[in-house]
């Protein structure tokens, strides 16, 4: 999927492209590390007034390989802005009709350039391609930007799909209309 920016907007001279990529590629690994560092540091700063312990960071990044985001039941998408890896989203099947959205992230230096809606739309398309009719996700209360993004794009709060996730405060779901991710 490619999304080109409007020609009359000088702030959007570059464009986003999104494509599947192996979960263990260098770009995927770098984006996973950036994502995990940011959400972990945010949690620890909020709850303990400190950043993530470096040993814990290394242990957790290594433990979550992303192998569940590989075909045939998953996909990892990398968004590139002007050719540079800058966003990611993972989709994996829970069951034949339900996909889970995970690892939605846009690098901090690329936020405000339209990447979040692009990677989200591509993830919804990927979920449809896996045969899903519905997409679900979990997030934390302190990730207010993520919660706002999902609400803007038609996600509604739902009952937990998995009840034993340590850091899941909110669950969202969306029925996937056939066709384009923008169809509702």
């Amino acid at each position: 999927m490619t999304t080109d920016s409007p020609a009359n907007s000088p702030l959007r001279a570059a464009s986003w492209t999104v494509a599947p990529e192996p979960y263990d590629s260098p770009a995927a690994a770098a984006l996973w590390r950036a994502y995990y560092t940011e959400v972990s540091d945010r949690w620890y700063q909020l709850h303990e007034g400190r950043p993530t312990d470096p040993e814990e960071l290394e242990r957790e990044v290594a433990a979550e390989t992303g192998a569940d985001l590989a075909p045939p039941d998953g996909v990892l998408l990398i968004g590139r802005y002007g050719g540079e890896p800058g966003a990611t989203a993972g989709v994996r099947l829970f069951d034949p009709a339900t996909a889970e959205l995970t690892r939605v992230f846009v690098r901090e230096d690329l936020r405000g350039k339209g990447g979040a809606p692009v990677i989200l739309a591509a993830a919804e398309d990927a979920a449809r391609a896996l045969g899903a009719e519905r997409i679900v996700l979990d997030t934390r209360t302190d990730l207010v930007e993520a919660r706002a993004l999902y609400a803007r794009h038609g996600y509604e709060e739902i009952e937990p799909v998995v009840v034993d996730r340590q850091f899941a405060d909110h669950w969202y779901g969306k029925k996937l209309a056939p066709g384009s991710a923008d169809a509702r």
Side-chain angles (χ1 to χ4, degrees):
M1 168 180 195
T2 301
T3 300
D4 293 317
S5 304
N8 60 357
S9 177
L11 296 176
R12 302 236 180 150
S15 63
W16 284 96
T17 59
V18 178
E21 188 152 331
Y23 67 89
D24 57 354
S25 75
L31 287 165
W32 168 233
R33 175 174 291 284
Y35 166 87
Y36 191 85
T37 300
E38 183 174 323
V39 297
S40 182
D41 281 352
R42 191 178 225 182
W43 191 90
Y44 279 111
Q45 288 293 346
L46 179 66
H47 296 282
E48 297 182 12
R50 66 172 178 86
T52 308
D53 175 85
E55 288 180 20
E56 178 187 359
L57 178 68
E58 293 307 317
R59 186 175 56 252
E60 294 302 318
V61 166
E64 292 293 325
T65 65
D68 56 342
L69 301 175
D73 295 326
V75 63
L76 180 71
L77 302 169
I78 300 292
R80 286 182 162 70
Y81 184 74
E84 279 293 312
T88 185
V91 177
R92 60 181 162 231
L93 287 178
F94 262 144
D95 60 52
T98 308
E100 181 183 19
L101 179 63
T102 186
R103 294 192 186 194
V104 177
F105 176 74
V106 177
R107 279 186 3 217
E108 187 174 8
D109 62 316
L110 295 175
R111 292 179 189 156
K113 298 180 184 299
V118 171
I119 197 80
L120 187 57
E124 291 174 4
D125 285 343
R128 280 187 202 85
L130 291 171
E133 299 169 5
R134 171 175 93 125
I135 191 165
V136 298
L137 64 98
D138 67 78
T139 191
R140 298 187 330 225
T141 298
D142 63 302
L143 300 176
V144 293
E145 304 89 345
R147 291 174 41 225
L149 171 73
Y150 302 131
R152 274 194 313 272
H153 290 277
Y155 289 77
E156 297 179 347
E157 283 213 51
I158 61 172
E159 291 297 315
V161 177
V162 177
V163 294
D164 64 350
R165 294 228 173 129
Q166 182 179 2
F167 298 105
D169 299 318
H170 301 271
W171 282 88
Y172 288 85
K174 180 179 179 180
K175 182 173 170 52
L176 296 172
S180 168
D182 293 332
R184 294 209 210 316

